[in-house]
Amino acid sequence: MDEPMMGARPTGPLIVSMGDPAGVGPEVIARGWDTLRQQRQSVLKPAPLPFVVLGDAAVLARQGFPVEAVYSPHEAFQVFNRAIPVIDLPAPAPVVAGQPDPANAGAVADWIERAVDMILSGEGSGLVTAPIAKAPMYAAGFRFPGHTEFIAELTADMPFTGTRGPVMMLTAQDLRACLVTIHVPIDQLPELITAERVTRIARVVHESMKRDFGIAKPRLAMAGLNPHAGEGGSIGLQETTILRPAAEQLRGEGIDITDPRPADTLFHEEARKRYDAHICLYHDQALIPVKTLDFWGGVNATLGLPIVRTSPDHGTGFDIAGKGIARADSFIAAVKLASDMAAKRATR
């Protein structure tokens, strides 16, 4: 896999939405800030961008690290080395760690929307979203399946050059696994994996590898749906009737992509070196290798949007919230990836 190239520095900081304030989001943000602050002060190579948090400052202050209220994202550049910069937007109901409250769902959605607005206006360079919980959001009338779809709608009217997503990509170490379907039952896969869907996802990934990762000639691997990639049609027909024709069409467009390959041979170390991204057909096909490679440090990134967006690859962790044991590895990796992606976009 080609190594990402550092580009010009973006002009704004990253914006972090707090997520559900009763979850581990505030804790991983605070612990992540402490680690990143120290790295920014000690490393010689370009450090990740600072970030500003949109959320409840009082909840963030409970985590035991210094917090400083700011009024604009740009203040993060002055504040970040001494305290966590936060634009204080208090939750309307009391926040109890581990106990999500639908009364705060409107504030959680508002933090995300305001963060997106700041990035679209040029005040921020990228978005990092702490985890939200679907049940309290749905109970309060939230109508989107999750973050990804909500952010896609918030940015739908903004100009965008290329094939528009959203496409979910999970990263761990040198693996970039991009999903054709996400949270769907296995028995629905045959009807959802169409040539149209696969080619659109591949175009988004190809363009993102160039735009967001600085890879001039991306190499994509396509996973098969069936064992042994169908073994010539004897273990399933999707590879011969849908996936291989889709790959041929994409190669005709100048996209370097393989025919469908057996998924059990695509993710080992030697195979990963041959490709810049993998097109995976369903959730576990992507998530199992990602979490096997780096269970704590995986990142969820959304490709094909007018803004950069990353997220820790874990949930709200209500069962451990408030106990001081949540690990910030994934949040830190999400900040670093968003910073790198924003730098690539700044050069275009």
Side-chain angles (χ1 to χ4, degrees), residues 81-293:
N81 284 344
R82 64 175 181 266
I84 307 170
V86 56
I87 295 176
D88 188 23
L89 302 169
V95 175
V96 179
Q99 299 180 29
D101 190 336
N104 288 327
V108 173
D110 183 57
W111 298 337
I112 300 166
E113 187 166 359
R114 291 197 189 200
V116 170
D117 287 344
M118 288 177 177
I119 296 165
L120 293 175
S121 69
E123 296 178 89
S125 294
L127 172 64
V128 180
T129 56
I132 61 174
K134 294 181 175 62
M137 299 290 283
Y138 292 161
F142 188 72
R143 60 184 180 86
F144 299 92
H147 263 124
T148 300
E149 296 80 5
F150 184 36
I151 295 167
E153 172 138 325
L154 292 174
T155 59
D157 294 332
M158 297 306 298
F160 183 72
T161 301
T163 308
R164 188 180 287 266
V167 170
M168 180 183 289
M169 179 183 75
L170 288 304
T171 69
Q173 297 181 22
D174 57 353
L175 174 62
R176 302 184 186 104
C178 307
L179 287 161
V180 173
T181 66
I182 307 176
H183 299 119
V184 299
I186 289 290
D187 62 2
Q188 294 180 14
L189 290 178
E191 63 187 72
L192 293 175
I193 295 173
T194 63
E196 180 182 7
R197 185 189 292 261
V198 170
T199 53
R200 183 184 67 82
I201 298 295
R203 291 185 193 107
V204 172
V205 174
H206 173 78
E207 293 163 10
S208 179
M209 290 301 107
K210 295 196 289 185
R211 176 181 57 247
D212 299 323
F213 293 87
I215 300 170
K217 297 180 179 180
R219 302 161 299 169
L220 308 184
M222 181 190 295
L225 175 63
N226 297 296
H228 303 181
E231 205 165 283
S234 62
I235 318 179
L237 298 175
Q238 286 84 1
E239 285 77 13
T240 57
T241 61
I242 297 170
L243 299 176
R244 187 170 293 115
E248 291 171 354
Q249 178 181 339
L250 290 163
R251 287 193 292 269
E253 298 171 11
I255 295 175
D256 182 355
I257 187 169
T258 67
D259 282 336
R261 300 283 177 82
D264 61 354
T265 64
L266 273 184
F267 303 109
H268 62 86
E269 183 177 7
E270 184 178 340
R272 295 197 308 272
K273 293 177 181 178
R274 295 197 292 264
Y275 309 112
D276 299 299
H278 291 67
I279 307 299
C280 299
L281 302 180
Y282 57 95
H283 183 275
D284 285 10
Q285 192 176 69
L287 271 290
I288 288 172
V290 165
K291 293 195 174 185
T292 299
L293 277 176

Side-chain angles (χ1 to χ4, degrees), residues 270-325:
E270 184 178 340
R272 295 197 308 272
K273 293 177 181 178
R274 295 197 292 264
Y275 309 112
D276 299 299
H278 291 67
I279 307 299
C280 299
L281 302 180
Y282 57 95
H283 183 275
D284 285 10
Q285 192 176 69
L287 271 290
I288 288 172
V290 165
K291 293 195 174 185
T292 299
L293 277 176
D294 192 351
F295 183 80
W296 299 109
V299 177
N300 176 358
T302 307
L303 310 182
L305 295 181
I307 67 170
V308 168
R309 182 260 172 157
T310 68
S311 178
D313 183 26
H314 60 70
T316 49
F318 292 129
D319 58 327
I320 62 169
K323 297 180 180 179
I325 59 175

